[in-house]
Amino acid sequence: MFPLSKVQCGEIPPTNSRGETASQRAIRVQNDFVAAVNCFFAEYDAKAWEGGKDAILTHLGSFPQDKGWPYPSVVVDSGGGHHCYWLLEDTVTVTDANRDALKRLQAAWVQLVGGDEGAKDFARVLRVPGTLNMKPDYGPDFPAVAIVEADYHMKLVGMGLEEGTLGVESYLDTVAANGGEAPPMNVL
């Protein structure tokens, strides 16, 4: 275990938005620096769920897979809930042309799977498995961040994320128009 309080996934630029060297306290991932997307994520805070972490896992298992709702590829116990990742078949390079659409898709994905609406931003940095969640409320026995389940071969495909397309918006529009029923989405 790494007893570090701020170890999280993501690469953090050492400058502020003006390109000036920033103090360590002010450094945060910024949307303009996100270079690629290889998954969608959702965060579930156990405090928000009656039944806590078990209720979150029940929720994830209730997705109607026959309607195209896949179970997450990776579920991480963050110490205070679960972080879930739906891996994409291919990494999508983020460009100025698709950045806004991908930001909207990530936010819509969180809503679609019932995640924490306050944790849907495109540049979200999540806790790293193998570290401790050092939030003061969890001390003195700080919980380990750990992978609960993982199937790295299960990936989302066919969502219109291919280079040069922005089919992601029409995909989510179709889900909304069909009362939550997703059009065919392959899971490897």
Side-chain angles (χ1 to χ4, degrees):
M1 274 320 120
F2 298 99
L4 304 174
S5 62
K6 294 292 182 181
V7 174
Q8 299 179 315
C9 292
E11 186 161 329
I12 302 174
T15 60
N16 64 22
S17 61
R18 294 180 300 280
E20 303 162 341
T21 300
S23 72
Q24 289 298 315
R25 290 190 66 131
I27 295 174
R28 184 182 187 292
V29 174
Q30 300 167 14
N31 286 330
D32 289 345
F33 291 99
V34 175
V37 174
N38 60 6
C39 69
F40 297 127
F41 65 85
E43 185 173 340
Y44 300 87
D45 189 344
K47 293 181 299 205
W49 292 78
E50 186 176 330
K53 293 178 187 177
D54 288 339
I56 296 167
L57 293 176
T58 299
H59 168 72
L60 296 172
S62 72
F63 292 166
Q65 294 179 5
D66 61 326
K67 293 184 178 181
W69 288 55
Y71 193 79
S73 309
V74 181
V75 178
V76 173
D77 184 329
S78 68
H82 290 299
H83 296 166
C84 298
Y85 303 87
W86 288 262
L87 303 177
L88 301 175
E89 179 182 30
D90 296 307
T91 298
V92 178
T93 301
V94 179
T95 65
D96 289 339
N98 69 6
R99 185 175 310 276
D100 286 338
L102 289 168
K103 285 178 4 185
R104 287 191 305 274
L105 177 61
Q106 174 56 56
W109 185 263
V110 168
Q111 184 177 24
L112 183 71
V113 298
D116 180 352
E117 291 281 334
K120 61 183 176 187
D121 53 303
F122 189 54
R124 174 67 43 171
V125 179
L126 301 172
R127 298 187 185 281
V128 176
T131 63
L132 299 177
N133 184 332
M134 300 292 286
K135 285 187 177 177
D137 292 350
Y138 299 143
D141 298 320
F142 298 104
V145 178
I147 295 172
V148 175
E149 300 177 60
D151 181 348
Y152 299 107
H153 298 289
M154 186 170 64
K155 300 177 182 180
L156 301 177
V157 297
M159 292 190 64
L161 290 171
E162 297 79 19
E163 188 158 341
T165 69
L166 290 178
V168 294
E169 291 177 316
S170 60
Y171 179 87
L172 290 171
D173 289 342
T174 303
V175 170
N178 290 338
E181 184 167 332
M185 175 184 357
N186 299 322
V187 178
L188 295 178

